[in-house]
Amino acid sequence: MLRLHYNLEKVSMGLVAAIMVAASIGGIVEIAPLFTIDETVTLPDDLRPHTPLELAGREIYVREGCYACHSQMVRSLADELDRYGPYSLAAESAYDHPMLWGSKRTGPDLARLGEKYSDAWHVAHLRDPRAVVPASIMPAYPWLGRPLDTRLLEAQLATLARLGVPYDDAMIANAEADALAQSRPASDGAAAVVARYGERIAMRAFDGDAERLTEMDAVVAYLQSLGTLTNAPYQIIGGGEQ
Amino acid sequence: MVGTLTRSERRIGIVLSVSLGLLGLGMAAGARHGVMAVHGMMALGLGLALIFHIGGALYDEPEPAPGRSGRYYDAPTRFGIGMTLLWAIVGMAAGVWVAALLYWPEATPPWPWTSFGRLRPVHTTGVIFGFGGNALIATSFHVLQRTSRARLADALSPWVVLIGYNLFCAWAVTGYLMGSTQSKEYAEAEWYADLWLVVVWSVYFTLYIRTLARRNEPHIYVANWYYLAFILVVAMLHVVNNLALPVSLGAADSFTIWSGVQDAMIQWWYGHNAVAFFLTAGFLGMLYYFLPVRSGRPIWSYRLSIVSFWGIVFFYIWVGSHHLHYTALPYWAQTLGMTFSVMLLVPSWASAGNAIATLNGAWHKVRDDATLRFMFVAAVFYGLSTFEGSFLAIRPVNSLSHYTDWTVGHVHAGTLGWVAMIVFGAIYTLVPQLAGRETMAWPRAIEWHFWSAVGGTLVYVIAMWNAGITQGLMWRTYDESGALSYSFIESVRTMAPYYLLRTLGGAMFLGGAVICALNCRATMRAAGGREDAADHPLSLHPAE
């Protein structure tokens, strides 16, 4: 090997080629199978994608860098099951571009957060965390009360559909209307949202004000959806309904 | 810059600047509003500034003296070191500020762009890509020329690389402030910035290979193997991890083509190899050149450097999955990551040992010369943090450390203790040379910098070790009745003193970096004279 290298270091393109080969093998062996094996590609029948409103909330979660302090990946360790709930399955984030598993828990894991708290709790907490949890070091997000910009939603759903997320043409075409309707359960469009995304989605004025569609509506809708996109983890681990 | 270019090069420079301005105009016009429009205006402004800068001197400044192909080209290195120091201060200041926010969250002003989540990537991108990246590019130009005994292949591409790269960094951090991010850690910049970086990187690689082709040495020196591995593998990682579909060509918004578990694997394949090939390989290149130069001793073992080079290139790429222990990633992939992480200790310690053994016989210099001491401490921290890294990758250890501040402590042992120390050692060796002097302007200040850097690193790392282990234990402790002993918020409350200490450690380190920047400025100022005054005739002796 030393001899080989001795000759190689006289030929720059040879060195380049050898580096590329040596540095590719590990990645290929570890990554390529993940696109084929059952463990990582089978999806539960009841898995649904995010609604447009939840997706908008997810985009805000990304924008504000919530993932820097919160993981969304319950590991298969006893204390995590006791603290957070059933461990996370690969399938749960199958439609997530990108995944938000996170790497740091300055705050708690959020994978099983959906419906743990009331909407009002979240609204108060996001506006001023220390008003609700005095020792909290989470930043306040007072600006989330501003109107939600829904103009990109249709294009976002279309892009995700192209990447394989099961949004059909009607979902894409109605993305903006559906976002509004999800926060106005009494409105005309509400029934169509349920028809498209299923009975299990939450239909509420998440920020407590049905008149205005705000970023707060979107974030809270997203937080309340965490861990509820499929029932599979509860069936495998908890032995039944949530 | 302009004085080192010929008239025809200046003309091409203007054409390139006009193209940059037009690109910016196109982006701004296509996007109309939002982040991409702001970034378009930034490119347009930069293009215009360059047009005026070069155009203003097109015929005024004299052309470089005819014999320049026999001299090294150091003006780009000088500019790159300046950018390194600028980003050091920006990136580290952002880091100290976000560290303070974790102790004192009420200090967050009510404007979205000052929020923790938006500033945190400003810190990471600022220090990794701004500070580290500029240091790598600037020193690579210097080392490449000296070890090849050849001038850079042309005079324009180094400027394209440096200016283009800094535009990428500036787009990235301003984007985060405005809320534009892909959320992939250490790869947050949006799609058009990523594409731009691919262009810049191709120019960098081409320049490197073309210069190597002109070398007057039969062998390619070990430092260049590492710089090459850095350039090549970072390109591969960057392209694969950032493959994304833009939502529209006029918006700074895209979705990565990867999802879920595949995305997680690719992200940490990228993330850990950003550590490997950006924060390790490139800086080992720096170490393999500046340590022998400064200590006046040849590398201890050539064979060991070969073994550790190929070990690092081959093993590192497997280890990313140790970031995903006990997650939904298949068990076999986690096990592979763990196994290779442990094996990686061998080439890592071979490199660290090789560096330290090189100092054998020069210990009196380590004692007296703060610059050499920076490099010695860097090698020691490299050894420590690679040991810690292999340890943390072991599954049961990782069950405790993952998600906690222990990881943060580990990363900073590597970045403050190893990466930043070797950069400072290289800078203090290089800057007097670039200024055509024997020493820095304020030699005493190097000592102050050294001690504040070492002190700051130790305070930081020890605080985070304590914080992380405490957190990990509190999260998993059960009481007699079989219930968890601590609520999450109790663990948060316990962190307060550690977070305060960490902020102080970081501030000490930042203080040292500020001293370094001022010292470098004073040294460069004292140089005066023409811009290429410090270019050295090609050495007639074989390279080190």
Side-chain angles (χ1 to χ4, degrees), chain B residues 47-76:
Chain B
L48 288 175
L50 286 170
I51 293 170
F52 284 119
H53 184 64
I54 306 173
L58 187 55
Y59 295 104
D60 297 352
E61 284 214 37
E63 290 200 87
R68 73 166 183 174
S69 62
R71 299 166 78 85
Y72 295 132
Y73 189 33
D74 283 338

Side-chain angles (χ1 to χ4, degrees), chain B residues 57 136 138 188-190 410 504:
Chain B
L136 286 171
E188 291 94 343
E190 269 295 350
H410 166 60
L504 293 178

Side-chain angles (χ1 to χ4, degrees), chain B residues 15-48 51 167 171 192 196 249-250:
Chain B
V15 172
L16 290 175
S17 311
V18 170
S19 322
L20 175 62
L22 288 177
L23 174 74
L25 196 63
M27 281 168 65
R32 293 234 180 81
H33 58 88
V35 181
M36 194 166 164
V38 176
H39 284 167
M41 296 310 284
M42 280 168 67
L44 177 62
L46 180 63
L48 288 175
I51 293 170
L167 178 63
W171 272 351
Y192 52 87
W196 175 251
L249 288 180

